[in-house]
Structure formats: C-alpha cells, structure tokens
Amino acid sequence: MKKPNITSFCSTFVLLLPFFLSAKAAHAVDTEWKVMQRMQSNTAVRIAYQETRTLELIDQPWQGSGYLYSQAPDLMIKEQLRPERVLMGIKGDRMFYFDPAANMRHRGELDAANPLSLHIAFFNALVNADVALLHRVYRVDFDAREQDWLMTLKPRRGDRSGLTVVISGPPGQQAERIEIRQDDGDFSEFLLSKDAEGETIETEVNRLYKELLGN
C-alpha cells in the first residue's frame, strides 16, 4: 500500500489555509446592520411566505400562505391568501387590518405595548430595513454562527405572552425563516423567499393599500 505523502499534504494545507481564513472572515462580517441592509430595496418588493402555526389547544397545525409587500420608506402589507384572504399593513405608525369576507376593518397606532403591534412590527422593520423601528419595539440580540445568522427579538415592554421572535438566514444572505414563540406553547414559523420587484409590484402595493384604507 502506498504511504501517504506527508510533505505533499502539508504543502496542500498551507496553500488552502488562506481560503479557510478568508471564508471565516467572510462569515465574521455578518452583522445586524448588514442583514438589514440586504433586505432594503429602492423599489417595491414582493416576498412569498409559507406559515405554519402550532397551537397548544389545537391538534393539527394551521397552515397559511401569501405575500409580504414592501415599499420604501415605511409601507408594509401582509396579504394572506390561504386559507382565506386577509390583509394587514403598516404605514408609518399606523396599522391596518381588513377581512374582506367579513367586511371587517380595524385601524390603530403602532404601539410597543400593543400585542398586535408586537406580532407584526418586525415584518415592517425587516422588509423596509427599519433599524430604528426594530430597536424601538424590541430588544435585539444578534448572533452570526457558522451555519447561519440569528436575530432574536423580545418586547421592550412587558408582554404576558412571553413573545420571542427568531429571524434567521444563511451567512451573507437575506432572512429565510422567522419563528414566533410564546410561553403558552403556541409557535409559528414563516418561510420566506423573494418573489418579485419593480414597477408592477409597486402598482400592486398601491392597489392593496387603497383596499386597506377602504378607497
């Protein structure tokens, strides 16, 4: 049996060492700011999502899907298409909700003490790269790991649900997964993928916003 060539192995390792170090360095540049900037766009963006909710009092997980829309500087719309169509949105410090089937509308202020705000504000902060909003509503802990980056959010004000939001994605990439956990055992998972952007999406966002307003 041919003996391994130790000298050749060591030479190869030395040659590859800069590659390993550069890979580590590339991983190390992942920061909260870099991640938020990757989500930013000068044009309207549509992100497809798949949602799974596991509720403590329900045997079967609830599943839904739809789109998240963003339009700089401060408009975000969540259009749930399945199992039924529901619209939610944030424009500046205003929140909107519309259930077309029930013809029910709701408007309110984006408030860190409001449980509904806590469950939707991070979407707006994420898709519009709004770092100020993120830190106004949540305490943020960022961790860049070898296999992914994690951003953990907890309400700045007291929240009885024990809400924790964990946003993650591959190194050097945008957010791909969002987990929403509560102390009572309720758990939601969102899988995200950028779907489209441009003038066509901007037209769609404006149409949906008018629908939210009831125009």
Side-chain angles (χ1 to χ4, degrees), residues 90-104:
I90 296 178
K91 171 69 173 173
D93 287 331
R94 297 286 293 169
M95 293 194 309
F96 305 90
Y97 174 90
F98 177 45
D99 181 342
N103 194 28
M104 181 172 64

Side-chain angles (χ1 to χ4, degrees), residues 41-85:
S41 175
N42 293 325
T43 186
V45 175
R46 183 172 68 194
I47 298 171
Y49 77 84
Q50 300 283 336
E51 179 184 4
T52 301
R53 296 180 198 165
T54 304
L55 306 177
E56 186 70 17
L57 300 178
I58 299 178
D59 293 336
Q60 296 297 321
W62 179 96
Q63 293 187 325
S65 62
Y67 294 105
L68 298 174
Y69 294 85
S70 69
Q71 184 168 290
D74 60 357
L75 176 60
M76 186 282 300
I77 295 176
K78 178 175 179 274
E79 183 185 25
Q80 175 187 294
L81 295 176
R82 296 181 180 83
E84 63 275 326
R85 187 170 181 267

Side-chain angles (χ1 to χ4, degrees), residues 2-128:
K2 186 177 180 180
K3 294 183 178 180
N5 189 326
I6 301 299
T7 302
S8 176
F9 173 79
C10 290
S11 299
T12 302
F13 180 78
V14 170
L15 288 172
L16 290 176
L17 186 58
F19 170 78
F20 293 138
L21 291 176
S22 64
K24 247 184 200 307
H27 165 65
V29 301
D30 256 339
T31 65
E32 175 194 334
W33 177 255
K34 293 283 188 182
V35 166
M36 294 295 285
Q37 288 305 298
R38 285 182 209 129
M39 301 296 293
Q40 192 172 40
S41 175
N42 293 325
T43 186
V45 175
R46 183 172 68 194
I47 298 171
Y49 77 84
Q50 300 283 336
E51 179 184 4
T52 301
R53 296 180 198 165
T54 304
L55 306 177
E56 186 70 17
L57 300 178
I58 299 178
D59 293 336
Q60 296 297 321
W62 179 96
Q63 293 187 325
S65 62
Y67 294 105
L68 298 174
Y69 294 85
S70 69
Q71 184 168 290
D74 60 357
L75 176 60
M76 186 282 300
I77 295 176
K78 178 175 179 274
E79 183 185 25
Q80 175 187 294
L81 295 176
R82 296 181 180 83
E84 63 275 326
R85 187 170 181 267
V86 176
L87 291 176
M88 298 180 72
I90 296 178
K91 171 69 173 173
D93 287 331
R94 297 286 293 169
M95 293 194 309
F96 305 90
Y97 174 90
F98 177 45
D99 181 342
N103 194 28
M104 181 172 64
R105 297 182 185 275
H106 176 74
R107 298 187 185 190
E109 295 290 333
L110 186 63
D111 180 1
N114 183 338
L116 181 58
S117 295
L118 293 175
H119 281 79
I120 193 173
F122 65 86
F123 281 119
N124 192 27
L126 194 64
V127 299
N128 283 309

Side-chain angles (χ1 to χ4, degrees), residues 103-172:
N103 194 28
M104 181 172 64
R105 297 182 185 275
H106 176 74
R107 298 187 185 190
E109 295 290 333
L110 186 63
D111 180 1
N114 183 338
L116 181 58
S117 295
L118 293 175
H119 281 79
I120 193 173
F122 65 86
F123 281 119
N124 192 27
L126 194 64
V127 299
N128 283 309
D130 192 337
V131 179
L133 172 61
L134 195 72
H135 282 267
R136 176 157 56 90
V137 180
Y138 309 98
R139 289 182 288 112
V140 182
D141 181 30
F142 186 87
D143 184 19
R145 308 186 301 182
E146 184 176 352
Q147 70 275 22
D148 60 11
W149 55 262
L150 291 177
M151 190 185 298
T152 303
L153 313 177
K154 293 188 177 181
R156 281 201 169 275
R157 300 185 186 179
D159 177 57
R160 295 179 181 178
S161 69
L163 178 73
T164 300
V165 179
V166 180
I167 305 167
S168 62

